[in-house]
């Protein structure tokens, strides 16, 4: 818009610039209102973003309330270097002596030494997974897989990379010693039933070394011995099951991570030796998860209070503290929903522990959430299974919900993409766009109004200047006539 009132009133001596400024200030009132409305809408968008962010943090804290954190049990080992354990919500209180005789091993084979750039014949190597039984290799149920060797990969390093890329249950590496590079093949799975056999199909061309150099049968291959290994493949390590005793009972496992011996307990074998494994009460995980929920809720409460503040000023004539969402029912609805979740019992749950409140979660006199850890610890000591069930998905059938699922169902409609808050935000953005269009139109109209006023005032100034000049001339003539009469 043009600058207001420049060089007006010079000829007439009137304050036309001031008059034009005052008139344009009055004309701009509708534009100022549009700008204020756009600023208010943008402020509300920012406020809704803050509200959604705090709600998302609250949902994240709620998702951390997993049943495993409320088992009340934690695994321990008298010698964790031999074995350690973890327990889930199916575990009971246990204590067992564990004697580890040997660990589970993966089948390994090693080739004779070749130069790394030695050229191999082209063809295929076929890998069959299975086990050694009664002195013979017995193929397993898995389908045999082949690796193609062509002129792009017919070196030791090329063969290694081709095997690894094929993902066939066997990995390859190269070990270089004083005699050259050796191909080492290792089963990706430990256990006596997870050996492998390698057979070749050689084209007879492409290099100086036949692919049958890598043929391997774990039942007949010689054992590797340093300095005396024959050409071809040797057995570097036989696949073996872990051997251990639990309170004297002999147990085997194809892996060193044992999940099937004790219900709800995972035993991880580390080395041969003796240790005592046990589960012991430990409610700290659940307490920490609940405290995270309490902290996230109180953070939301502070954000919501600041955004919806509508307090009158203590000083007469001055504005009070008003938040961008003051009077907005959205904040009240969310707060009411969350208070309800604390005190509403879980349908289907019976006994003393059916709500968050029964676990020690409650409100103080200021409305902030608190956790009574003594009350929570007593609940865990009394019935950890009942407590953990409150957080177990679908605890009483397909149609039931855990406290976490119910809490999420209450809040996710607000935080989901295109949910309540996003819809409100989109509506405000649309309003801002409309207001910007109206502001542009209003600014153009004001430019036209100012131009018209300026034109009118310029004409007025010119007319008054002429009248003043005429008046001055007439005054001079009258004074001259007076002098003639004298």
């Amino acid at each position: 818009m043009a600058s207001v009132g420049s060089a007006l009133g010079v000829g007439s001596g009137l304050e036309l610039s001031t008059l034009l400024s005052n008139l344009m200030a009055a004309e701009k009132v509708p534009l100022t209102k549009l700008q204020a409305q756009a600023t208010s809408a943008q402020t509300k968008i920012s406020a809704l973003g803050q509200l959604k962010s705090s709600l998302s943090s609250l949902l994240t804290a709620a998702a951390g309330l997993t049943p495993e954190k409320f088992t009340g049990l934690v695994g321990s080992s008298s010698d964790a270097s031999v074995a350690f354990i973890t327990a889930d919500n199916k575990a009971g209180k246990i204590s067992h002596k564990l004697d580890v005789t040997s660990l589970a091993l993966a089948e390994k084979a090693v080739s004779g030494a070749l130069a790394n750039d030695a050229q191999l014949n082209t063809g295929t190597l076929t890998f069959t997974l299975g086990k050694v039984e009664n002195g013979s290799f017995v193929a397993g149920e898995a389908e045999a897989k082949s690796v193609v060797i062509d002129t792009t990969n017919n070196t030791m390093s090329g063969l290694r990379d081709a095997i690894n890329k094929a993902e066939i249950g066997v990995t390859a590496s190269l070990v270089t010693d004083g005699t050259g590079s050796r191909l080492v093949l290792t089963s990706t799975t430990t256990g006596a039933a997870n050996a492998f056999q390698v057979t070749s199909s050689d084209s007879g061309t492409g290099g100086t070394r036949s692919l049958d150099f890598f043929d391997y049968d774990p039942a007949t291959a010689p054992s590797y011995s340093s300095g005396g290994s024959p050409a071809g493949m040797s057995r570097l390590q036989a696949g073996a099951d872990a051997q251990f005793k639990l309170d004297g009972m002999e147990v085997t496992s194809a892996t060193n991570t044992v999940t099937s011996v004790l219900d709800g307990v995972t035993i991880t074998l580390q080395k041969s030796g003796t240790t005592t494994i046990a589960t012991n009460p430990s409610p700290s995980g659940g307490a920490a998860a609940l405290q995270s929920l309490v902290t996230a809720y109180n953070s939301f409460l502070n954000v919501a209070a600041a955004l919806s503040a509508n307090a009158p000023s203590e000083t007469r004539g001055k504005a009070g503290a008003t938040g961008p969402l003051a009077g907005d029912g959205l904040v009240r609805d969310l707060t009411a929903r969350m208070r309800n979740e604390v005190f509403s019992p879980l349908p289907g749950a019976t006994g003393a522990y059916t709500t968050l409140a029964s676990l020690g979660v409650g409100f103080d006199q200021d409305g902030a959430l608190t956790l009574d850890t003594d009350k929570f610890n007593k609940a865990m000591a009394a019935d950890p299974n009942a407590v953990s069930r409150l957080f177990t998905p679908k605890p009483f059938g397909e149609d039931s919900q855990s406290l976490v699922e119910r809490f999420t169902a209450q809040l996710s409609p607000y935080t989901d993409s295109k949910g309540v808050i996003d819809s409100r935000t989109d509506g405000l953005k649309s309003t801002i766009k409309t207001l910007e269009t109206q502001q542009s139109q209003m600014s153009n109209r004001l430019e036209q109004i100012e131009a018209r006023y300026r034109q009118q005032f310029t004409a007025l100034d010119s007319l008054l200047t002429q009248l003043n000049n005429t008046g001055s001339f007439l005054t001079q003539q009258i004074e001259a006539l007076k002098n003639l009469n004298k």
Side-chain angles (χ1 to χ4, degrees):
M1 196 161 56
S3 104
V4 173
S6 59
L8 285 178
V10 173
S12 65
L14 297 178
E15 293 291 335
L16 295 180
S17 293
T18 301
L19 179 59
L20 180 56
S21 295
N22 292 338
L23 285 171
M24 290 310 301
E27 294 286 354
K28 288 179 183 177
V29 169
L31 177 61
T32 303
K33 288 182 178 179
L34 290 174
Q35 292 170 337
Q37 290 172 8
T39 299
S40 175
Q42 188 60 56
T43 302
K44 286 185 178 181
I45 289 175
S46 176
L48 289 171
Q50 294 177 57
L51 192 68
K52 183 178 179 180
S53 177
S54 64
L55 279 175
S56 296
S57 296
L58 184 57
L59 278 173
T60 299
L65 297 169
T66 57
E68 292 79 9
K69 293 178 181 176
F70 297 89
T71 60
L73 296 171
V74 63
S76 67
S77 172
S78 61
D79 189 346
S81 68
V82 173
F84 63 87
I85 72 168
T86 57
D88 61 25
N89 60 333
K90 295 180 181 179
K93 196 171 186 326
I94 63 163
S95 179
H96 298 282
K97 181 182 178 183
L98 176 67
D99 295 299
V100 181
T101 304
S102 60
L103 298 179
L105 301 174
E107 182 79 21
K108 285 189 176 185
V110 61
S111 74
L114 293 175
N116 191 47
D117 59 353
Q119 294 293 302
L120 310 175
N121 281 346
T122 58
T124 59
L125 291 179
T126 300
F127 292 78
T128 305
L129 305 181
K131 62 181 178 180
V132 176
E133 188 173 77
N134 298 324
S136 300
F137 177 78
V138 179
E141 296 181 358
E143 182 181 356
K145 296 182 180 180
S146 297
V147 176
V148 176
I149 308 302
D150 55 28
T151 56
T152 66
N153 59 9
N154 62 334
T155 61
M156 291 289 278
S157 58
L159 176 58
R160 173 200 61 197
D161 296 341
I163 293 171
N164 289 333
K165 185 177 180 180
E167 297 182 352
I168 54 178
V170 176
T171 61
S173 59
L174 290 180
V175 176
T176 302
D177 58 19
T179 59
S181 292
R182 299 174 183 274
L183 182 72
V184 178
L185 301 177
T186 306
S187 173
T188 56
T189 309
T190 58
N194 294 303
F196 56 85
Q197 183 186 66
V198 184
T199 55
S200 64
S201 176
D202 194 300
S203 69
T205 62
T208 59
R209 176 64 68 175
S210 173
L211 290 181
D212 62 9
F213 185 77
F214 302 103
D215 284 353
Y216 176 68
D217 187 333
T220 59
S223 297
Y224 172 78
S225 59
S226 179
S229 178
M233 299 295 289
S234 303
R235 199 176 198 187
L236 186 60
Q237 176 176 281
D241 292 340
Q243 307 283 335
F244 61 95
K245 294 180 181 179
L246 199 66
D247 291 338
M249 296 177 286
E250 294 186 354
V251 186
T252 62
S253 171
T255 70
N256 293 313
T257 302
V258 185
T259 59
S260 59
V261 174
L262 295 169
D263 196 25
V265 174
T266 298
I267 306 171
T268 302
L269 307 177
Q270 300 279 80
K271 68 177 185 179
S272 300
T274 301
T275 184
T276 298
I277 56 173
T279 54
N280 303 296
S282 178
S284 59
L290 281 175
Q291 186 59 55
S292 293
L293 180 72
V294 167
T295 301
Y297 174 85
N298 290 336
S299 177
F300 162 78
L301 205 64
N302 291 335
V303 170
L307 296 177
S308 62
N310 191 14
S313 173
E314 296 180 358
T315 304
R316 186 179 179 86
K318 291 188 176 181
T322 303
L325 299 180
D328 196 318
L330 176 64
V331 177
R332 291 195 302 272
D333 183 49
L334 282 169
T335 305
R337 284 171 180 262
M338 284 183 283
R339 286 186 67 89
N340 186 59
E341 287 305 308
V342 174
F343 295 107
S344 294
L346 187 67
T350 58
Y353 309 110
T354 61
T355 65
L356 284 174
S358 67
L359 304 182
V361 179
F363 292 95
D364 63 17
Q365 60 183 6
D366 297 322
L369 213 56
T370 62
L371 175 62
D372 185 338
T373 53
D374 288 340
K375 187 174 181 178
F376 174 71
N377 289 339
K378 288 178 181 178
M380 291 295 294
D383 197 346
N385 289 330
V387 174
S388 66
R389 194 166 192 181
L390 297 178
F391 305 98
T392 301
K394 303 185 184 305
F396 305 105
E398 285 298 316
D399 295 331
S400 66
Q401 290 181 314
S402 67
L403 288 177
V404 174
E405 289 172 321
R406 193 175 69 181
F407 195 84
T408 301
Q410 289 288 337
L411 296 187
S412 56
Y414 294 87
T415 59
D416 285 347
S417 176
K418 303 303 179 183
V420 174
I421 292 179
D422 278 4
S423 296
R424 287 277 300 273
T425 300
D426 290 343
L428 288 168
K429 288 179 179 179
S430 179
T431 297
I432 290 174
K433 189 174 181 179
T434 300
L435 289 170
E436 287 174 344
T437 300
Q438 292 175 350
Q439 288 177 57
S440 179
Q441 294 171 346
M442 180 64 70
S443 293
N444 292 335
R445 180 172 171 271
L446 288 172
E447 288 182 0
Q448 295 172 0
I449 292 173
E450 182 183 346
R452 186 176 72 248
Y453 279 147
R454 183 177 292 279
Q455 184 179 25
Q456 292 171 344
F457 284 178
T458 300
L460 176 62
D461 192 30
S462 178
L463 177 60
L464 289 175
T465 299
Q466 292 176 8
L467 292 174
N468 286 337
N469 291 337
T470 301
S472 296
F473 173 75
L474 291 174
T475 300
Q476 291 174 0
Q477 294 301 315
I478 290 171
E479 289 296 325
L481 290 174
K482 285 182 179 179
N483 290 332
L484 287 174
N485 290 332
K486 289 181 181 180

